[in-house]
Amino acid sequence: MKDFLKDIESRFQTTDTIQQKECLAFTTVDKSRAIAMVTWLKENAGYSSLILLTAVDWIEDGVFQLTYLLNNPENGNEIGIRVGIDREGATMESAHHLWENMMTYQRELKEMFGIDFPGSPRVDESFILEGWDDIPPYRRDFDTKKYSEETFFPRPGRKTNDPTQYMKSKLYPKD
Amino acid sequence: MDYSLTKFLWTLLGLFIVTNWGLLMSSTMRRIGARVAGRYGIPWYQPWIDLAKLYSLRSQITHGTMFYIGPVFRLMGGVGMFLFMPMIFGSALWSNYSFSGDLILILYFQFFGMLGMALGAGEGGQPYSAIGISRGLSQFTTIEVPMTLAVISLAIQYQTFSISDIVAAQQGGFMNWTVMTNPFATIAAMLSLLGAFGHSPFNLVKAPNEIPIGPPTEYHGTFLGVLRTNGAILHVAEAALFMNLFFGGATSWFELIIKTFLIYFWSVFVGTVFPRFRIEQSVVWFLKWPTILGIIAIIIYL
Amino acid sequence: MEKDFDKKALTDMYKDKFLAPENEKRQVAAPDGSIIEIDPLDDYFCQERPKELKPRKGAVEKFLNWARAESLWVLGFGTGCGSIEIPPLVTPRFDMYRYGVQMRPTPRQSNVFIISGYLSVKTLKRAIRSYEQMPSPKYIIALGSCTINGGMYWDSYNTINRLDHFMPVDVYIAGCMPRPEALLAGFGKLKELIKEGKGEKANEYARNFDWYKANQKKIIKDWNMPDFNW
């Protein structure tokens, strides 16, 4: 795995490579080389199985971090390719031609994060939020509590306790 | 009182007895199935409550004329079978309206309800009913093959198409029953009975956990009540048909109840033991051994 | 009693019809070559508002209510995590058949709808259609605290908080998750209510139809189904 990580570092100029386990590593690559790298991993390096494609919203840095998690069925190695893309007008190259199920992940990301994948089939159809008209709900600037209170007729009289304070008062009432 | 009127009233009384016996029998069989699974099962009076509820639902929708007529056709299948079936041997009043060629008419009525159901359920517009119908009709057609072969064998054996005559020929001890004199026809028919009653190996058409309940997907309320009433009548009538053809008929209601119960129990017994066939498997199954046995039964008596 | 709400929105409410492409009015060539016009909305769906259906009077209604209570047919539609509590009810340990409770696969044949746990907006749409297709009198059992006040999903962007704003609920079963015993107790309570003649929530739905529809349409943004599908 170590040699392999060195190899892809020289091929695709990956950075921030972390090997978490003997069989699991994460590495970051530039957006322009990401799909080329995923394609190379699938076609030439045996990482033929897509585990998932997911995104994280780093709102402080202004980026969405996509993670393509791939698996090599022959030796059981897994590699996660992290790609940072701009939060403003987020778009990413589509990879639906590599795996068919990629299309579903991309459709979900389009709906939940608003990341566009031009050319991906059915990417504009609604996935689970039918007729959503707010900002995509997985973005961290979306206030889900406020939205829920405005939309879903909250039942009055609901009480919420801070778990730390509540357990403290329960377990150590004298302090 | 006029004789024909008396006969009519007695036939109605017979229909009443048969309906209730059918309902009781269905709940008993479901209890037996439940005990096999380790449950208590429904109360014995559950079918009557279900019927009362179904007939009293307040909102019912219709999809057109055929949607109404479908359950009526199905009910006519059951009632028609009952009307032309001699229930008690030797009793003029309980012989209903049997006549010398009633066996053919009864075979026709067996299929008649299915066709009516197909028309009605097709009108419902639910795609699942259409799938259920195509499955049901293809399975029932193959069920009819061994059944018809067995009946033809019987007709050759007894040289008659009258059920009363066939029963009369079997009197005088169980060695005279068709099951002893013509075992091949009996086995072929008893195997086809498994499909006709629609218990487990062959219940793909109407099982609730297959494509939703098959043809009656859209039927509710009174429509479903009519279908269930028909189910009760049909089961007893069909068991009575087999009793008359193969097991010496009945000389009293008590004998009829015992014999129909055992014939029905045969299909439940097989049903609790064997899992469900897919439709292509059951079609092939009916066209294999039961059909071969039916052909052998004919060849023997030719 | 009638629920009061903002009736200003009512005028627009029934305008947005179910206009999926396959339901648009169109002309079709019949097998014999003639051109016929079909309007799927008229052909396939009910155009009438649901009506209140008055119960019968006296001993007849009492008997019928008893029959309804003893023959509860449950729609096999699991909506949330609570639907996992229903399979044990069918198995030997709890065996709900003893109490006249049976599962039915289609809404047309069922009387009881168990909303088992949280309802996402997407599921709510399907649940409403299923509920409206059930023949009256019909009952709803709301299972789990998610249906009461949102439960642990109370601040979620996609699950409803209060079921009673969208469908009339007969029996609530609190808990997260309630055990199958609690569900059996809920069936017992529902039977009591029906026998007392209080199982008339379908009529309440018809009476407050506009209120329920307004709430439903507030949540369901792309309302692409018929307004009345009874």
Side-chain angles (χ1 to χ4, degrees):
Chain A
M1 189 88 182
K2 272 217 172 69
D3 299 339
F4 175 71
L5 289 175
K6 278 234 171 70
D7 180 27
I8 54 173
E9 199 172 330
S10 62
R11 278 173 191 269
F12 298 102
Q13 290 96 53
T14 57
T15 51
D16 305 325
T17 306
I18 324 155
Q19 188 165 7
Q20 292 197 330
K21 281 190 285 188
E22 192 48 49
C23 60
L24 176 69
F26 286 93
T27 183
T28 308
V29 72
D30 189 69
K31 184 182 167 188
S32 58
R33 284 185 293 274
I35 297 302
M37 179 175 174
V38 171
T39 314
W40 184 82
L41 283 171
K42 187 197 171 197
E43 305 292 343
N44 298 36
Y47 285 84
S48 57
S49 165
L50 170 73
I51 296 175
L52 54 84
L53 165 63
T54 184
V56 182
D57 185 3
W58 297 104
I59 194 168
E60 297 85 355
D61 308 339
V63 290
F64 286 125
Q65 184 195 59
L66 295 179
T67 305
Y68 295 81
L69 195 57
L70 309 181
N71 170 272
N72 186 340
E74 274 158 37
N75 53 17
N77 284 352
E78 280 167 19
I79 188 163
I81 298 114
R82 290 173 172 159
V83 188
I85 55 175
D86 269 342
R87 252 180 129 263
E88 292 302 318
T91 31
M92 180 66 196
E93 248 177 279
S94 170
H96 66 273
H97 55 284
L98 297 174
W99 291 277
E100 242 177 76
N101 52 346
M102 189 67 106
M103 158 190 137
T104 313
Y105 285 114
Q106 289 173 350
R107 208 171 134 201
E108 187 184 12
L109 288 180
K110 167 87 201 246
E111 184 166 274
M112 292 303 192
F113 286 93
I115 304 171
D116 198 7
F117 293 87
S120 180
R122 301 176 66 192
V123 75
D124 292 325
E125 285 177 35
S126 58
F127 184 56
I128 31 180
L129 312 171
E130 291 177 338
W132 186 261
D133 56 1
D134 214 310
I135 59 171
Y138 277 12
R139 292 198 178 203
R140 273 169 59 204
D141 46 359
F142 173 75
D143 190 346
T144 164
K145 183 169 173 238
K146 185 163 149 276
Y147 179 85
S148 170
E149 276 166 1
E150 281 168 4
T151 317
F152 292 125
F153 309 105
R155 187 178 284 273
R158 187 185 172 103
K159 225 166 65 184
T160 314
N161 293 312
D162 176 36
T164 338
Q165 298 301 323
Y166 183 73
M167 287 315 286
K168 220 181 216 170
S169 66
K170 274 267 175 194
L171 295 174
Y172 314 105
K174 280 175 197 158
D175 295 354
Chain B
M1 213 192 301
D2 191 9
Y3 176 73
S4 63
L5 183 65
T6 319
K7 173 126 181 165
F8 178 69
L9 290 176
W10 281 62
T11 308
L12 277 186
L13 178 63
L15 190 61
F16 177 76
I17 298 172
V18 160
T19 312
N20 284 297
W21 169 232
L23 291 171
L24 179 64
M25 196 153 69
S26 74
S27 72
T28 314
M29 292 303 170
R30 281 189 65 184
R31 279 173 75 84
I32 291 172
R35 291 299 166 95
V36 174
R39 294 185 286 112
Y40 277 105
I42 55 173
W44 63 268
Y45 49 85
Q46 187 72 44
W48 284 275
I49 304 181
D50 286 351
L51 278 188
K53 183 203 73 175
L54 283 173
Y55 282 122
S56 68
L57 286 180
R58 289 191 202 130
S59 71
Q60 305 196 29
I61 55 124
T62 171
H63 293 282
T65 322
M66 259 340 275
F67 192 74
Y68 280 113
I69 296 177
V72 178
F73 270 29
R74 191 99 174 100
L75 185 67
M76 273 324 294
V79 173
M81 253 182 106
F82 167 80
L83 279 184
F84 296 102
M85 177 100 60
M87 298 306 278
I88 309 291
F89 174 70
S91 152
L93 287 171
W94 295 120
S95 301
N96 299 345
Y97 292 96
S98 61
F99 59 100
S100 54
D102 48 4
L103 188 49
I104 295 173
L105 191 62
I106 281 174
L107 280 186
Y108 168 69
F109 270 125
Q110 221 183 352
F111 209 90
F112 181 77
M114 205 73 195
L115 293 174
M117 191 70 211
L119 292 171
E123 177 102 27
Q126 163 72 257
Y128 289 151
S129 342
I131 297 174
I133 290 161
S134 61
R135 286 168 159 189
L137 283 178
S138 53
Q139 175 168 304
F140 210 80
T141 314
T142 51
I143 292 168
E144 286 281 288
V145 173
M147 178 68 202
T148 313
L149 289 173
V151 166
I152 292 171
S153 167
L154 253 63
I156 302 171
Q157 183 190 353
Y158 296 115
Q159 294 292 324
T160 174
F161 267 123
S162 159
I163 295 179
S164 302
D165 290 354
I166 292 177
V167 177
Q170 300 178 53
Q171 296 306 308
F174 72 92
M175 284 308 287
N176 291 346
W177 293 1
T178 317
V179 67
M180 307 305 284
T181 56
N182 193 350
F184 286 107
T186 310
I187 295 171
M190 288 307 274
L191 292 178
S192 91
L193 172 129
L194 295 178
F197 274 178
H199 272 283
S200 182
F202 309 106
N203 65 348
L204 184 96
V205 180
K206 272 198 182 175
N209 41 4
E210 292 299 330
I211 277 181
I213 212 155
T217 308
E218 275 286 302
Y219 280 112
H220 56 285
T222 314
F223 304 111
L224 193 63
V226 169
L227 291 179
R228 291 206 147 205
T229 317
N230 166 65
I233 298 170
L234 194 69
H235 279 158
V236 179
E238 216 148 296
L241 172 69
F242 277 77
M243 173 192 80
N244 284 334
L245 291 184
F246 303 106
F247 299 102
T251 49
S252 65
W253 278 104
F254 180 72
E255 196 182 343
L256 179 129
I257 281 174
I258 298 285
K259 280 184 175 171
T260 49
F261 182 86
L262 288 175
I263 290 169
Y264 193 39
F265 183 71
W266 152 246
S267 88
V268 175
F269 178 75
V270 175
T272 47
V273 176
F274 290 102
R276 186 177 301 144
F277 272 150
R278 294 215 308 269
I279 203 76
E280 68 269 24
Q281 293 168 325
S282 68
V283 164
V284 170
W285 191 86
F286 277 117
L287 291 180
K288 230 187 260 170
W289 287 110
T291 309
I292 292 171
L293 286 169
I295 293 171
I296 291 173
I298 290 183
I299 290 170
I300 287 174
Y301 277 96
L302 266 182
Chain C
M1 105 215 130
E2 192 134 352
K3 289 191 166 120
D4 57 322
F5 71 108
D6 177 21
K7 298 215 165 150
K8 173 170 88 225
L10 239 180
T11 38
D12 301 330
M13 207 169 79
Y14 294 112
K15 270 187 193 163
D16 45 349
K17 282 270 181 158
F18 179 25
L19 271 186
E22 70 267 23
N23 285 315
E24 272 164 21
K25 215 178 207 177
R26 60 183 183 268
Q27 293 191 326
V28 181
D32 60 348
S34 60
I35 304 291
I36 51 169
E37 188 172 78
I38 59 164
D39 185 3
L41 278 179
D42 267 343
D43 293 350
Y44 299 161
F45 301 111
C46 185
Q47 302 296 320
E48 260 176 74
R49 286 169 63 92
K51 288 189 282 288
E52 272 187 75
L53 298 156
K54 290 270 174 274
R56 276 162 230 228
K57 294 208 172 64
V60 183
E61 182 67 14
K62 251 189 182 158
F63 167 73
L64 291 181
N65 274 337
W66 174 79
R68 283 169 193 145
E70 293 300 323
S71 160
L72 297 172
W73 288 7
V74 180
L75 176 61
F77 183 173
T79 58
C81 39
S83 51
I84 204 68
E85 305 294 331
I86 298 171
L89 284 176
V90 194
T91 52
R93 180 149 180 208
F94 297 105
D95 188 19
M96 65 183 180
Y97 290 98
R98 284 178 294 171
Y99 307 112
V101 184
Q102 301 176 52
M103 302 297 292
R104 297 308 285 185
T106 108
R108 290 271 185 237
Q109 299 179 4
S110 21
N111 311 106
V112 185
F113 196 172
I114 301 179
I115 302 290
S116 47
Y118 65 83
L119 262 182
S120 69
V121 175
K122 188 174 178 176
T123 322
L124 176 69
K125 209 159 143 183
R126 276 82 182 162
I128 289 167
R129 288 200 68 171
S130 303
Y131 176 70
E132 293 190 348
Q133 285 179 32
M134 283 158 60
S136 164
K138 48 194 168 186
Y139 319 102
I140 289 188
I141 292 180
L143 185 66
S145 46
C146 290
T147 53
I148 301 171
N149 60 5
M152 64 186 278
Y153 301 104
W154 67 284
D155 59 352
S156 163
Y157 59 92
N158 200 24
T159 57
I160 62 162
N161 277 359
R162 296 180 64 176
L163 181 61
D164 52 4
H165 274 59
F166 310 101
M167 300 171 173
V169 181
D170 284 277
V171 176
Y172 283 110
I173 303 172
C176 184
M177 283 312 296
R179 296 258 314 144
E181 291 97 327
L183 199 46
L184 281 182
F187 278 122
K189 183 72 192 166
L190 180 62
K191 280 185 181 185
E192 270 174 38
L193 287 177
I194 298 171
K195 281 175 190 168
E196 286 167 22
K198 288 179 186 165
E200 300 293 338
K201 285 289 164 86
N203 283 339
E204 194 184 313
Y205 187 73
R207 204 178 311 135
N208 297 310
F209 191 67
D210 291 332
W211 184 76
Y212 282 112
K213 275 288 166 236
N215 286 342
Q216 290 164 4
K217 290 198 172 183
K218 187 189 167 204
I219 302 286
I220 301 170
K221 301 281 170 51
D222 63 331
W223 183 272
N224 56 1
M225 52 188 196
D227 281 319
F228 325 113
N229 53 2
W230 293 51

